[in-house]
Amino acid sequence: MTNPPEFIPAPDSTAPESTYFDLTALPQAARYKLLTASVVPRPIAWVSTVSETGTVNLAPYSFFNLLGSDPPVVAFAPGDRADGTPKDTALNVASGGEFTVNLVSAALAATMNATATDFPRHLGEPETLDIALVPGIQVRTPRVAASPAALECRHVQTVLIGRTRIILGEVLGLTLRSDAVQDAGKHHVDTAALDLIGRMGGRGGYTTTRGTFTVDRIGYEAWQAAQEKAPED
Ligand SMILES: Cc1cc2nc3c(=O)[nH]c(=O)nc-3n(C[C@H](O)[C@H](O)[C@H](O)COP(=O)(O)O)c2cc1C
């Protein structure tokens, strides 16, 4: 065995004891359990779409995030059903080319969870569960009226990596509940007012976004100045 390169630190006795999992050697269920309980909290995209026959579909996806702003891009990942068929959301995005990501407040948690029920394809969740919708502005997909933030998206690409399907969308428009807009001209959002929730691991685990804190970023010059001022050990 050759010596490790210098930049790999030697084992440190002060490092906490750790447990390594080789994910390439584990079954899918184990990978899912380990990773969804470790990569937390995950934001939740409550995705509305319209089917070829005009049924409005609504379902939550926590394999989701914002990936850029120029142009703004979001991604989410619908897995297949147990029988290997794609979920309604994936079918509707492929046929309709549009979707709306509704973000989920704590007040909407139970309603959002109800839309994860595997209703047959012809039953739209908003109609079945009596969830009020508002028409889209740049897209045909409506948004959830009670959602504090909704992103109108144009489907740009679907990437398949094995059985993982990643849907990428360009965000064309953002609707925010007005009490969360502090200064529309300066684009200041009162994020706390959105009161969003995130997905944790395990069965039915969620978190609020209420315990936030801030940490200032500093530039390199400010960092250097701080080093010079720091008293010697
Ligand atoms: C909070 C939450 C997050 C979820 N995230 C995902 C996800 O990222 N990918 C996925 O395939 N299913 C996810 N599900 C399950 C889907 O919502 C569920 O399979 C739903 O029936 C799909 O509906 P559709 O066929 O109308 O698209 C999630 C469920 C919940 C409650």
Side-chain angles (χ1 to χ4, degrees), residues 64-76 166-168:
F64 160 66
N65 224 310
L66 172 70
L67 302 186
S69 59
D70 190 21
V73 170
V74 288
F76 72 99
I166 304 162
I167 293 177
L168 296 162

Side-chain angles (χ1 to χ4, degrees), residues 57 59-63 77-79 81 87-89 116-117 125 199 206:
N57 193 88
Y61 288 89
S62 69
F63 286 150
R81 300 194 174 284
K87 296 189 180 179
D88 295 343
T89 301
T117 306
E125 290 81 2
R199 184 78 167 94
Y206 292 89

Side-chain angles (χ1 to χ4, degrees), residues 45 47 64-76 97-103 137-139 141 143 149-157 167-176:
V47 182
F64 160 66
N65 224 310
L66 172 70
L67 302 186
S69 59
D70 190 21
V73 170
V74 288
F76 72 99
E98 294 174 337
F99 59 94
T100 296
V101 170
N102 304 273
L103 298 179
I137 293 173
Q138 296 192 60
V139 294
T141 46
R143 65 181 171 88
L151 287 59
E152 293 185 329
C153 301
R154 177 182 71 87
H155 177 218
V156 284
Q157 203 178 331
I167 293 177
L168 296 162
E170 178 182 351
V171 188
L172 306 176
L174 167 67
T175 302
L176 286 173

Side-chain angles (χ1 to χ4, degrees), residues 49-50 52 76 86-99 121 155 158 165 167:
T49 50
V50 180
E52 276 172 310
F76 72 99
K87 296 189 180 179
D88 295 343
T89 301
L91 293 171
N92 293 349
V93 170
S95 63
E98 294 174 337
F99 59 94
R121 183 149 168 71
H155 177 218
T158 294
R165 176 193 291 101
I167 293 177

